Short mmCIF file of all heavy atoms in Angstrom, two decimals:
data_model
loop_
_atom_site.label_atom_id
_atom_site.label_comp_id
_atom_site.label_asym_id
_atom_site.label_seq_id
_atom_site.Cartn_x
_atom_site.Cartn_y
_atom_site.Cartn_z
N MET A 3 26.31 37.95 -5.66
CA MET A 3 25.86 36.73 -6.35
C MET A 3 26.70 36.53 -7.60
O MET A 3 26.88 37.45 -8.38
CB MET A 3 24.39 36.88 -6.73
CG MET A 3 23.76 35.56 -7.03
SD MET A 3 22.09 35.46 -6.40
CE MET A 3 21.16 36.04 -7.79
N PRO A 4 27.20 35.33 -7.76
CA PRO A 4 28.05 35.10 -8.94
C PRO A 4 27.22 35.11 -10.22
O PRO A 4 26.03 34.84 -10.21
CB PRO A 4 28.64 33.71 -8.69
CG PRO A 4 27.69 33.05 -7.76
CD PRO A 4 27.07 34.15 -6.93
N LEU A 5 27.90 35.43 -11.27
CA LEU A 5 27.22 35.40 -12.55
C LEU A 5 26.82 33.97 -12.89
O LEU A 5 27.45 33.02 -12.46
CB LEU A 5 28.15 35.92 -13.66
CG LEU A 5 28.39 37.43 -13.62
CD1 LEU A 5 29.45 37.80 -14.63
CD2 LEU A 5 27.11 38.18 -13.91
N GLU A 6 25.78 33.88 -13.63
CA GLU A 6 25.30 32.57 -14.04
C GLU A 6 26.42 31.77 -14.69
O GLU A 6 27.15 32.29 -15.54
CB GLU A 6 24.16 32.76 -15.03
CG GLU A 6 23.39 31.50 -15.32
CD GLU A 6 22.21 31.79 -16.23
OE1 GLU A 6 21.66 32.90 -16.13
OE2 GLU A 6 21.87 30.94 -17.03
N ALA A 7 26.57 30.52 -14.26
CA ALA A 7 27.63 29.69 -14.80
C ALA A 7 27.49 29.55 -16.31
O ALA A 7 26.39 29.32 -16.82
CB ALA A 7 27.61 28.31 -14.16
N GLY A 8 28.58 29.72 -16.99
CA GLY A 8 28.55 29.58 -18.44
C GLY A 8 28.31 30.88 -19.16
O GLY A 8 28.59 31.00 -20.34
N LEU A 9 27.79 31.86 -18.42
CA LEU A 9 27.51 33.14 -19.07
C LEU A 9 28.79 33.80 -19.58
O LEU A 9 28.83 34.32 -20.69
CB LEU A 9 26.79 34.06 -18.09
CG LEU A 9 26.32 35.41 -18.63
CD1 LEU A 9 25.38 35.23 -19.80
CD2 LEU A 9 25.65 36.22 -17.54
N LEU A 10 29.82 33.73 -18.75
CA LEU A 10 31.08 34.37 -19.14
C LEU A 10 31.60 33.81 -20.47
O LEU A 10 32.21 34.53 -21.25
CB LEU A 10 32.14 34.14 -18.07
CG LEU A 10 32.33 35.24 -17.03
CD1 LEU A 10 33.44 34.83 -16.08
CD2 LEU A 10 32.64 36.56 -17.67
N GLU A 11 31.35 32.52 -20.67
CA GLU A 11 31.92 31.88 -21.86
C GLU A 11 31.31 32.40 -23.15
O GLU A 11 31.91 32.28 -24.21
CB GLU A 11 31.74 30.37 -21.76
CG GLU A 11 32.57 29.77 -20.64
CD GLU A 11 32.20 28.31 -20.39
OE1 GLU A 11 31.71 27.68 -21.35
OE2 GLU A 11 32.39 27.84 -19.28
N ILE A 12 30.11 32.94 -23.05
CA ILE A 12 29.48 33.42 -24.28
C ILE A 12 29.58 34.93 -24.43
O ILE A 12 29.17 35.48 -25.44
CB ILE A 12 28.00 32.99 -24.35
CG1 ILE A 12 27.21 33.60 -23.19
CG2 ILE A 12 27.88 31.48 -24.34
CD1 ILE A 12 25.71 33.36 -23.33
N LEU A 13 30.17 35.56 -23.42
CA LEU A 13 30.30 37.01 -23.49
C LEU A 13 31.63 37.38 -24.12
O LEU A 13 32.64 36.73 -23.90
CB LEU A 13 30.22 37.63 -22.09
CG LEU A 13 28.88 37.48 -21.39
CD1 LEU A 13 28.96 38.08 -20.00
CD2 LEU A 13 27.77 38.14 -22.18
N ALA A 14 31.61 38.45 -24.87
CA ALA A 14 32.83 38.95 -25.47
C ALA A 14 32.82 40.47 -25.43
O ALA A 14 31.76 41.10 -25.42
CB ALA A 14 32.97 38.46 -26.90
N CYS A 15 34.00 41.02 -25.40
CA CYS A 15 34.14 42.47 -25.40
C CYS A 15 33.55 43.04 -26.69
O CYS A 15 33.92 42.61 -27.78
CB CYS A 15 35.63 42.80 -25.29
SG CYS A 15 35.98 44.55 -25.46
N PRO A 16 32.64 44.00 -26.59
CA PRO A 16 32.06 44.57 -27.80
C PRO A 16 33.05 45.41 -28.59
O PRO A 16 32.82 45.68 -29.77
CB PRO A 16 30.90 45.43 -27.26
CG PRO A 16 31.26 45.73 -25.85
CD PRO A 16 32.05 44.54 -25.36
N ALA A 17 34.13 45.82 -27.95
CA ALA A 17 35.10 46.65 -28.64
C ALA A 17 36.08 45.82 -29.47
O ALA A 17 36.42 46.19 -30.59
CB ALA A 17 35.86 47.51 -27.64
N CYS A 18 36.53 44.68 -28.92
CA CYS A 18 37.57 43.92 -29.61
C CYS A 18 37.24 42.43 -29.70
O CYS A 18 38.01 41.67 -30.28
CB CYS A 18 38.92 44.10 -28.91
SG CYS A 18 39.01 43.29 -27.31
N HIS A 19 36.10 42.00 -29.12
CA HIS A 19 35.62 40.63 -29.22
C HIS A 19 36.51 39.62 -28.51
O HIS A 19 36.47 38.42 -28.81
CB HIS A 19 35.42 40.22 -30.68
CG HIS A 19 34.53 41.18 -31.42
ND1 HIS A 19 33.20 41.33 -31.13
CD2 HIS A 19 34.80 42.06 -32.41
CE1 HIS A 19 32.69 42.26 -31.92
NE2 HIS A 19 33.63 42.73 -32.70
N SER A 20 37.32 40.08 -27.56
CA SER A 20 38.10 39.16 -26.75
C SER A 20 37.24 38.63 -25.60
O SER A 20 36.24 39.26 -25.24
CB SER A 20 39.32 39.88 -26.17
OG SER A 20 40.21 40.25 -27.18
N PRO A 21 37.63 37.49 -25.04
CA PRO A 21 36.90 36.97 -23.87
C PRO A 21 36.97 37.93 -22.69
O PRO A 21 37.90 38.74 -22.60
CB PRO A 21 37.61 35.65 -23.55
CG PRO A 21 38.38 35.31 -24.77
CD PRO A 21 38.72 36.60 -25.44
N LEU A 22 36.00 37.82 -21.81
CA LEU A 22 35.97 38.67 -20.63
C LEU A 22 36.30 37.85 -19.39
O LEU A 22 36.01 36.67 -19.32
CB LEU A 22 34.58 39.29 -20.47
CG LEU A 22 34.16 40.22 -21.61
CD1 LEU A 22 32.69 40.58 -21.46
CD2 LEU A 22 35.01 41.47 -21.64
N SER A 23 36.92 38.50 -18.43
CA SER A 23 37.31 37.85 -17.20
C SER A 23 36.55 38.45 -16.03
O SER A 23 36.47 39.67 -15.89
CB SER A 23 38.82 38.03 -17.01
OG SER A 23 39.20 37.70 -15.70
N ASP A 24 35.97 37.58 -15.20
CA ASP A 24 35.23 38.01 -14.03
C ASP A 24 36.19 38.61 -13.01
O ASP A 24 37.23 38.04 -12.72
CB ASP A 24 34.52 36.79 -13.43
CG ASP A 24 33.36 37.20 -12.55
OD1 ASP A 24 33.14 38.41 -12.39
OD2 ASP A 24 32.68 36.31 -12.06
N HIS A 25 35.85 39.75 -12.46
CA HIS A 25 36.76 40.41 -11.53
C HIS A 25 35.95 41.23 -10.54
O HIS A 25 35.04 41.95 -10.95
CB HIS A 25 37.73 41.30 -12.31
CG HIS A 25 38.68 42.05 -11.43
ND1 HIS A 25 38.51 43.36 -11.08
CD2 HIS A 25 39.82 41.64 -10.83
CE1 HIS A 25 39.52 43.74 -10.29
NE2 HIS A 25 40.31 42.72 -10.13
N THR A 26 36.28 41.12 -9.27
CA THR A 26 35.60 41.91 -8.27
C THR A 26 36.64 42.61 -7.41
O THR A 26 37.52 41.97 -6.86
CB THR A 26 34.70 41.03 -7.38
OG1 THR A 26 33.72 40.41 -8.20
CG2 THR A 26 33.99 41.88 -6.34
N ALA A 27 36.52 43.92 -7.33
CA ALA A 27 37.41 44.70 -6.48
C ALA A 27 36.56 45.63 -5.63
O ALA A 27 35.65 46.29 -6.14
CB ALA A 27 38.39 45.51 -7.32
N ASP A 28 36.85 45.67 -4.32
CA ASP A 28 36.07 46.52 -3.42
C ASP A 28 34.58 46.20 -3.51
O ASP A 28 33.74 47.11 -3.47
CB ASP A 28 36.32 47.99 -3.72
CG ASP A 28 37.77 48.38 -3.50
OD1 ASP A 28 38.41 47.76 -2.62
OD2 ASP A 28 38.26 49.25 -4.21
N ASP A 29 34.27 44.93 -3.67
CA ASP A 29 32.87 44.48 -3.75
C ASP A 29 32.13 45.02 -4.96
O ASP A 29 30.91 45.00 -5.01
CB ASP A 29 32.11 44.86 -2.47
CG ASP A 29 32.54 44.00 -1.30
OD1 ASP A 29 32.95 42.85 -1.54
OD2 ASP A 29 32.49 44.48 -0.17
N ILE A 30 32.87 45.54 -5.92
CA ILE A 30 32.24 46.02 -7.14
C ILE A 30 32.61 45.06 -8.27
O ILE A 30 33.77 45.01 -8.68
CB ILE A 30 32.71 47.44 -7.48
CG1 ILE A 30 32.35 48.39 -6.34
CG2 ILE A 30 32.09 47.91 -8.80
CD1 ILE A 30 32.92 49.78 -6.50
N PRO A 31 31.65 44.31 -8.76
CA PRO A 31 31.96 43.36 -9.82
C PRO A 31 32.16 44.04 -11.16
O PRO A 31 31.46 45.01 -11.50
CB PRO A 31 30.73 42.45 -9.85
CG PRO A 31 29.62 43.30 -9.34
CD PRO A 31 30.24 44.27 -8.37
N GLU A 32 33.12 43.53 -11.88
CA GLU A 32 33.37 44.05 -13.22
C GLU A 32 33.75 42.88 -14.12
O GLU A 32 34.19 41.84 -13.65
CB GLU A 32 34.56 45.03 -13.22
CG GLU A 32 34.27 46.36 -12.58
CD GLU A 32 35.46 47.29 -12.66
OE1 GLU A 32 36.60 46.83 -12.49
OE2 GLU A 32 35.26 48.47 -12.91
N LEU A 33 33.59 43.09 -15.39
CA LEU A 33 34.10 42.14 -16.37
C LEU A 33 35.22 42.84 -17.11
O LEU A 33 35.02 43.87 -17.75
CB LEU A 33 32.99 41.71 -17.34
CG LEU A 33 31.85 40.91 -16.71
CD1 LEU A 33 30.83 40.56 -17.78
CD2 LEU A 33 32.38 39.65 -16.06
N ILE A 34 36.40 42.24 -17.01
CA ILE A 34 37.58 42.85 -17.60
C ILE A 34 37.88 42.18 -18.93
O ILE A 34 37.96 40.95 -19.03
CB ILE A 34 38.81 42.68 -16.67
CG1 ILE A 34 38.48 43.14 -15.26
CG2 ILE A 34 40.01 43.44 -17.24
CD1 ILE A 34 38.32 44.61 -15.07
N CYS A 35 38.08 42.97 -19.95
CA CYS A 35 38.46 42.44 -21.25
C CYS A 35 39.88 41.89 -21.18
O CYS A 35 40.77 42.52 -20.61
CB CYS A 35 38.38 43.56 -22.29
SG CYS A 35 38.99 43.05 -23.89
N THR A 36 40.08 40.71 -21.75
CA THR A 36 41.40 40.09 -21.71
C THR A 36 42.23 40.46 -22.93
O THR A 36 43.34 39.99 -23.09
CB THR A 36 41.28 38.56 -21.63
OG1 THR A 36 40.57 38.10 -22.78
CG2 THR A 36 40.54 38.13 -20.37
N GLY A 37 41.67 41.25 -23.82
CA GLY A 37 42.38 41.62 -25.03
C GLY A 37 43.56 42.53 -24.75
O GLY A 37 43.46 43.47 -23.97
N GLU A 38 44.67 42.24 -25.38
CA GLU A 38 45.81 43.13 -25.27
C GLU A 38 45.44 44.44 -25.96
O GLU A 38 44.69 44.46 -26.92
CB GLU A 38 47.04 42.52 -25.96
CG GLU A 38 47.63 41.35 -25.19
CD GLU A 38 48.89 40.83 -25.89
OE1 GLU A 38 49.71 41.65 -26.30
OE2 GLU A 38 49.00 39.60 -26.02
N ASP A 39 45.96 45.54 -25.43
CA ASP A 39 45.68 46.86 -25.98
C ASP A 39 44.22 47.27 -25.82
O ASP A 39 43.79 48.23 -26.45
CB ASP A 39 46.05 46.93 -27.47
CG ASP A 39 47.49 46.53 -27.72
OD1 ASP A 39 48.34 46.85 -26.86
OD2 ASP A 39 47.75 45.92 -28.75
N CYS A 40 43.46 46.53 -25.05
CA CYS A 40 42.07 46.93 -24.80
C CYS A 40 41.88 47.03 -23.29
O CYS A 40 42.03 48.10 -22.73
CB CYS A 40 41.11 45.92 -25.42
SG CYS A 40 39.37 46.38 -25.20
N GLY A 41 41.56 45.91 -22.64
CA GLY A 41 41.49 45.88 -21.18
C GLY A 41 40.38 46.71 -20.58
O GLY A 41 40.44 47.08 -19.41
N LEU A 42 39.34 47.01 -21.33
CA LEU A 42 38.22 47.77 -20.78
C LEU A 42 37.55 46.98 -19.67
O LEU A 42 37.49 45.75 -19.71
CB LEU A 42 37.20 48.07 -21.88
CG LEU A 42 37.61 49.12 -22.92
CD1 LEU A 42 36.56 49.21 -24.01
CD2 LEU A 42 37.83 50.48 -22.27
N ALA A 43 37.04 47.69 -18.68
CA ALA A 43 36.34 47.06 -17.56
C ALA A 43 34.87 47.44 -17.63
O ALA A 43 34.52 48.61 -17.53
CB ALA A 43 36.94 47.52 -16.23
N TYR A 44 34.03 46.43 -17.78
CA TYR A 44 32.59 46.66 -17.91
C TYR A 44 31.90 46.46 -16.57
O TYR A 44 32.19 45.50 -15.87
CB TYR A 44 32.00 45.71 -18.96
CG TYR A 44 32.59 45.94 -20.33
CD1 TYR A 44 33.71 45.24 -20.74
CD2 TYR A 44 32.03 46.90 -21.17
CE1 TYR A 44 34.28 45.49 -21.98
CE2 TYR A 44 32.59 47.15 -22.41
CZ TYR A 44 33.72 46.44 -22.82
OH TYR A 44 34.27 46.69 -24.04
N PRO A 45 30.99 47.36 -16.22
CA PRO A 45 30.28 47.23 -14.95
C PRO A 45 29.25 46.10 -15.00
O PRO A 45 28.80 45.71 -16.07
CB PRO A 45 29.59 48.59 -14.79
CG PRO A 45 29.41 49.11 -16.18
CD PRO A 45 30.57 48.55 -16.98
N VAL A 46 28.93 45.59 -13.81
CA VAL A 46 27.85 44.60 -13.68
C VAL A 46 26.82 45.20 -12.74
O VAL A 46 27.13 45.50 -11.59
CB VAL A 46 28.37 43.27 -13.11
CG1 VAL A 46 27.23 42.27 -12.96
CG2 VAL A 46 29.46 42.70 -14.01
N ARG A 47 25.63 45.41 -13.22
CA ARG A 47 24.59 46.05 -12.41
C ARG A 47 23.44 45.08 -12.22
O ARG A 47 22.88 44.59 -13.20
CB ARG A 47 24.09 47.32 -13.10
CG ARG A 47 25.19 48.37 -13.18
CD ARG A 47 24.70 49.68 -13.79
NE ARG A 47 25.84 50.58 -13.96
CZ ARG A 47 26.04 51.32 -15.06
NH1 ARG A 47 25.17 51.28 -16.05
NH2 ARG A 47 27.09 52.09 -15.15
N ASP A 48 23.11 44.83 -10.95
CA ASP A 48 22.03 43.88 -10.65
C ASP A 48 22.27 42.55 -11.33
O ASP A 48 21.36 41.96 -11.90
CB ASP A 48 20.67 44.46 -11.06
CG ASP A 48 20.35 45.74 -10.31
OD1 ASP A 48 20.77 45.84 -9.14
OD2 ASP A 48 19.69 46.62 -10.88
N ASP A 49 23.54 42.12 -11.31
CA ASP A 49 23.96 40.83 -11.89
C ASP A 49 23.85 40.79 -13.40
O ASP A 49 23.92 39.71 -14.00
CB ASP A 49 23.15 39.67 -11.30
CG ASP A 49 23.42 39.51 -9.81
OD1 ASP A 49 24.56 39.75 -9.39
OD2 ASP A 49 22.49 39.16 -9.07
N ILE A 50 23.67 41.94 -14.02
CA ILE A 50 23.59 41.97 -15.47
C ILE A 50 24.79 42.75 -16.01
O ILE A 50 24.95 43.93 -15.70
CB ILE A 50 22.27 42.63 -15.93
CG1 ILE A 50 21.09 41.83 -15.38
CG2 ILE A 50 22.23 42.75 -17.44
CD1 ILE A 50 19.75 42.39 -15.73
N PRO A 51 25.63 42.09 -16.78
CA PRO A 51 26.79 42.78 -17.34
C PRO A 51 26.35 43.87 -18.32
O PRO A 51 25.46 43.65 -19.15
CB PRO A 51 27.55 41.68 -18.09
CG PRO A 51 27.01 40.40 -17.57
CD PRO A 51 25.59 40.68 -17.15
N VAL A 52 26.94 45.03 -18.18
CA VAL A 52 26.63 46.14 -19.09
C VAL A 52 27.76 46.23 -20.11
O VAL A 52 28.79 46.83 -19.87
CB VAL A 52 26.49 47.46 -18.30
CG1 VAL A 52 26.15 48.61 -19.25
CG2 VAL A 52 25.43 47.34 -17.23
N LEU A 53 27.55 45.57 -21.22
CA LEU A 53 28.61 45.49 -22.22
C LEU A 53 28.46 46.62 -23.24
O LEU A 53 28.16 46.41 -24.40
CB LEU A 53 28.59 44.12 -22.91
CG LEU A 53 28.86 42.95 -21.97
CD1 LEU A 53 28.89 41.66 -22.75
CD2 LEU A 53 30.16 43.14 -21.21
N LEU A 54 28.67 47.81 -22.74
CA LEU A 54 28.62 48.99 -23.60
C LEU A 54 29.95 49.73 -23.46
O LEU A 54 30.38 50.03 -22.35
CB LEU A 54 27.48 49.92 -23.17
CG LEU A 54 26.07 49.32 -23.27
CD1 LEU A 54 25.06 50.27 -22.64
CD2 LEU A 54 25.71 49.07 -24.73
N VAL A 55 30.56 50.01 -24.58
CA VAL A 55 31.86 50.68 -24.54
C VAL A 55 31.74 52.03 -23.82
O VAL A 55 32.63 52.45 -23.08
CB VAL A 55 32.41 50.86 -25.96
CG1 VAL A 55 33.69 51.68 -25.95
CG2 VAL A 55 32.66 49.50 -26.60
N ASP A 56 30.61 52.70 -24.02
CA ASP A 56 30.41 54.00 -23.38
C ASP A 56 30.35 53.89 -21.87
O ASP A 56 30.60 54.87 -21.16
CB ASP A 56 29.12 54.64 -23.88
CG ASP A 56 29.26 55.17 -25.30
OD1 ASP A 56 30.40 55.26 -25.78
OD2 ASP A 56 28.23 55.47 -25.92
N GLU A 57 29.97 52.72 -21.35
CA GLU A 57 29.85 52.52 -19.90
C GLU A 57 31.12 51.95 -19.29
O GLU A 57 31.26 51.87 -18.08
CB GLU A 57 28.70 51.56 -19.60
CG GLU A 57 27.34 52.06 -20.05
CD GLU A 57 26.77 53.12 -19.14
OE1 GLU A 57 27.06 53.07 -17.93
OE2 GLU A 57 26.07 54.01 -19.63
N ALA A 58 32.02 51.50 -20.11
CA ALA A 58 33.20 50.81 -19.63
C ALA A 58 34.22 51.78 -19.02
O ALA A 58 34.29 52.94 -19.42
CB ALA A 58 33.86 50.02 -20.76
N ARG A 59 34.95 51.22 -18.06
CA ARG A 59 36.03 52.00 -17.44
C ARG A 59 37.31 51.72 -18.22
O ARG A 59 37.65 50.58 -18.51
CB ARG A 59 36.19 51.55 -15.99
CG ARG A 59 37.19 52.32 -15.18
CD ARG A 59 37.07 51.96 -13.71
NE ARG A 59 37.25 50.53 -13.45
CZ ARG A 59 38.46 49.93 -13.42
NH1 ARG A 59 39.55 50.63 -13.61
NH2 ARG A 59 38.55 48.65 -13.19
N ARG A 60 37.98 52.77 -18.59
CA ARG A 60 39.22 52.62 -19.35
C ARG A 60 40.35 52.20 -18.42
O ARG A 60 40.42 52.67 -17.27
CB ARG A 60 39.61 53.94 -20.00
CG ARG A 60 38.52 54.51 -20.87
CD ARG A 60 38.80 54.24 -22.33
NE ARG A 60 37.58 54.44 -23.11
CZ ARG A 60 37.40 53.92 -24.33
NH1 ARG A 60 38.34 53.19 -24.86
NH2 ARG A 60 36.31 54.12 -24.99
N PRO A 61 41.24 51.35 -18.87
CA PRO A 61 42.37 50.96 -18.03
C PRO A 61 43.26 52.18 -17.76
O PRO A 61 43.38 53.07 -18.62
CB PRO A 61 43.10 49.92 -18.86
CG PRO A 61 42.64 50.13 -20.25
CD PRO A 61 41.25 50.71 -20.17
N ALA A 62 43.86 52.20 -16.59
CA ALA A 62 44.70 53.34 -16.21
C ALA A 62 45.95 53.40 -17.07
O ALA A 62 46.44 52.38 -17.52
CB ALA A 62 45.09 53.24 -14.74
ZN1 LIG B 110 38.27 44.50 -25.45
#
């Protein structure tokens, strides 16, 4: 299920406050930070973005 329309526009990376980009790989939705030098990937669980740095996947 897609995220609620408009939700992405009000979400920002808690680490660097850059906009987030919707991204799904292998049927696992994530929100990817668009900030340079950041790029953290936040999980989406039950259609709710988990915007916690501790939960984010670090870019390779
Ligand atoms: Zn960021």
